[in-house]
Amino acid sequence: MKKIILFLSVSLFALSLVAQTNFRDITYKEALAAAKAEKKQVFIDFYTSWCGPCKMMMKNVFPLKEVGDYLNARFVCVKIDAEKGEGPELAKRYKVKAYPTFVAIDPDEEVLMTKEGGTFDGGEFIGSIDRLINPDKSPERLQQRYEGGERSADLVSAYAGMKMEQVYQNRRPDMSKKDEAFNIVQDYFNGLNDRERLKEENLFIYASFTESPMDAIAQYMIANRDKFTPAIKDRIEDRIATLYKMEIQKYITAQEPFDQQQYDALKKGVLDLGLNKDNYYTEAFRMIECYGKGDLNAFLSLLEKEYGELNREYKASMMYNYAQLFTTGDEAVKARAVKFLRSLLVDMDAGMLMFVAQQLLILEGKIH
């Protein structure tokens, strides 16, 4: 669930359209011919019209400059609907079992890599593809290079990225792999001087290995935000805004125990950095501060009165974790919380109803 929430948080930010993945409107055979002529490989995005993650990739990931730059330079990119035209036969040939599935082949149709599932992180996506198609970035080779003392940005990014992929390879997440990845990046960061820390090649440190604006590396990024090379300043600013949004989200959904000192520092950062544009956080601050006082009836009164003033993202976040807000409440508080939640069902987006139903079951004691 935390992984889903994180994905939801990150996806809420607008993405640059300066460059984007060039998916060509050509057939499979034409793609092979174009790849041969251009001395490239073929990148196939197998999708379906009903696949939510497929749409997410097209909206949020493929328009990213870094993704477009990487894929366009190496591949002739095509999208193939697995249920239409030549799609079913090709999906069967390449053993596609889930959507989206990404397949890279050479002009002679030899499979270079197959990758199932999408991601909200562009760097993570192209890093994964690069590790799958580059023999020098196989798990064994990456470990060998790292243990041999290599500490290039490319190697550290790939090696730590591989560790992060291993976190969710099995049904039960292996968080020790995440610790390994963050330790690898922290050790690398510690060995850099200020000039090196601001280079474009080290963007991955800030984009993929910061989780809170209170992290030491994030604090360095924030303090030096105006010193980064112009090529990545916008990405740095976006990452800073994302981290603050994610941290506020933890408070508004009670994932973060309320700590007045930490919250005050968080709020000050939002205001000092000018992130409360158009009062984006104003109502969220009111909700958090009311909840932090510990009076759940007062919080419910505020919620009943002003929930509609919350921005769309925080409404969604609160609904996905609604029951968590009232775990310490008595039966009367929980009954009132249920009543309010049920009052919202009529106008609620259909996609949210499944999650809200689960919250109701938890509050009513039917899920323990």
Side-chain angles (χ1 to χ4, degrees):
M1 177 61 76
K2 288 184 178 179
K3 190 176 181 184
I4 294 172
I5 293 166
L6 177 61
F7 282 174
L8 287 168
S9 303
V10 175
S11 70
L12 300 176
F13 284 92
L15 302 168
S16 171
L17 295 176
V18 174
Q20 60 182 348
T21 307
N22 178 25
F23 282 104
R24 308 188 195 187
D25 187 16
I26 56 179
T27 67
Y28 173 75
K29 291 296 184 185
E30 289 170 340
L32 292 174
K36 188 171 184 178
E38 298 173 26
K39 294 181 171 55
K40 293 181 178 181
Q41 318 296 344
V42 177
F43 178 85
I44 306 172
D45 173 7
F46 282 102
Y47 74 99
T48 67
S49 61
W50 46 263
C51 167
C54 302
K55 295 175 183 177
M56 177 276 295
M57 289 293 296
M58 199 61 191
K59 178 181 178 182
N60 293 345
V61 176
F62 289 126
L64 285 169
K65 181 181 186 302
E66 61 184 312
V67 175
D69 287 348
Y70 178 87
L71 293 177
N72 296 339
R74 295 164 175 81
F75 300 99
V76 171
C77 301
V78 291
K79 292 178 66 64
I80 294 179
D81 188 328
E83 297 181 334
K84 294 181 180 179
E86 61 184 351
E89 187 277 326
L90 290 170
K92 182 178 180 180
R93 182 191 307 181
Y94 290 109
K95 301 177 182 178
V96 175
K97 298 178 180 178
Y99 304 101
T101 289
F102 308 100
V103 178
I105 60 175
D106 67 17
D108 294 321
E109 302 181 271
E110 180 180 347
V111 177
L112 305 174
M113 74 95 196
T114 299
K115 175 178 172 58
E116 291 185 354
T119 175
F120 283 97
D121 188 305
E124 177 184 311
F125 181 68
I126 60 178
S128 177
I129 292 173
D130 201 40
R131 288 190 294 277
L132 288 168
I133 64 173
N134 187 344
D136 206 36
K137 290 183 178 178
S138 68
E140 297 78 16
R141 183 67 180 124
L142 285 174
Q143 182 174 348
Q144 183 184 54
R145 290 168 64 190
Y146 187 80
E147 292 180 352
E150 182 180 341
R151 292 297 184 271
S152 66
D154 184 59
L155 180 277
V156 172
S157 176
Y159 191 48
M162 180 193 74
K163 295 290 184 181
M164 288 299 292
E165 280 196 342
Q166 292 173 348
V167 174
Y168 296 100
Q169 281 184 344
N170 300 312
R171 293 183 64 180
R172 178 174 294 181
D174 182 356
M175 302 313 292
S176 69
K177 296 297 183 182
K178 178 179 177 181
D179 292 339
E180 285 184 48
F182 273 72
N183 287 336
I184 288 166
V185 173
Q186 184 68 63
D187 287 345
Y188 172 69
F189 180 81
N190 291 343
L192 301 175
N193 59 39
D194 285 334
R195 180 181 58 81
E196 292 167 333
R197 289 176 176 180
L198 301 173
K199 285 185 175 181
E200 183 175 0
E201 66 183 21
N202 287 316
L203 174 62
F204 77 93
I205 298 174
Y206 311 99
S208 300
F209 293 94
T210 51
E211 296 186 301
S212 164
M214 306 307 172
D215 293 345
I217 290 179
Q219 286 288 297
Y220 179 90
M221 170 177 63
I222 293 166
N224 293 277
R225 62 191 180 278
D226 294 327
K227 300 177 184 178
F228 284 90
T229 180
I232 62 172
K233 281 188 71 173
D234 286 347
R235 293 286 308 281
I236 291 295
E237 294 290 344
D238 286 347
R239 185 57 182 168
I240 291 170
T242 297
L243 290 176
Y244 275 101
K245 175 175 277 192
M246 290 166 59
E247 200 70 11
I248 294 294
Q249 187 176 42
K250 292 176 185 177
Y251 275 97
I252 204 168
T253 57
Q255 295 177 70
E256 188 78 33
F258 188 82
D259 181 295
Q260 189 68 56
Q261 186 175 358
Q262 290 182 5
Y263 170 74
D264 288 345
L266 181 68
K267 182 177 179 179
K268 184 177 186 301
V270 169
L271 299 177
D272 288 351
L273 292 170
L275 299 177
N276 193 31
K277 296 175 182 177
D278 301 321
N279 292 313
Y280 182 87
Y281 289 106
T282 299
E283 197 59 43
F285 287 149
R286 283 172 51 78
M287 294 281 182
I288 293 167
E289 289 159 16
C290 180
Y291 184 80
K293 294 177 181 178
D295 186 339
L296 291 178
N297 276 302
F299 174 68
L300 275 166
S301 294
L302 181 65
L303 201 60
E304 291 163 353
K305 181 180 179 182
E306 300 185 17
Y307 172 79
E309 300 303 314
L310 279 174
N311 62 62
R312 182 181 178 185
E313 291 90 343
Y314 284 124
K315 282 182 180 178
S317 297
M318 187 173 284
M319 289 299 102
Y320 283 123
N321 299 275
Y322 185 77
Q324 180 69 26
L325 294 164
F326 303 100
T327 54
T328 62
D330 59 24
E331 292 306 310
V333 164
K334 290 179 181 178
R336 186 179 173 189
V338 167
K339 182 179 179 181
F340 173 69
L341 187 54
R342 288 189 178 278
S343 73
L344 301 176
L345 295 178
V346 174
D347 298 319
M348 191 166 288
D349 182 87
M352 195 180 294
L353 289 175
M354 178 180 70
F355 294 96
V356 169
Q358 184 181 44
Q359 301 303 302
L360 286 170
L361 290 171
I362 294 171
L363 284 168
E364 293 173 339
K366 296 175 183 177
I367 293 182
H368 302 282

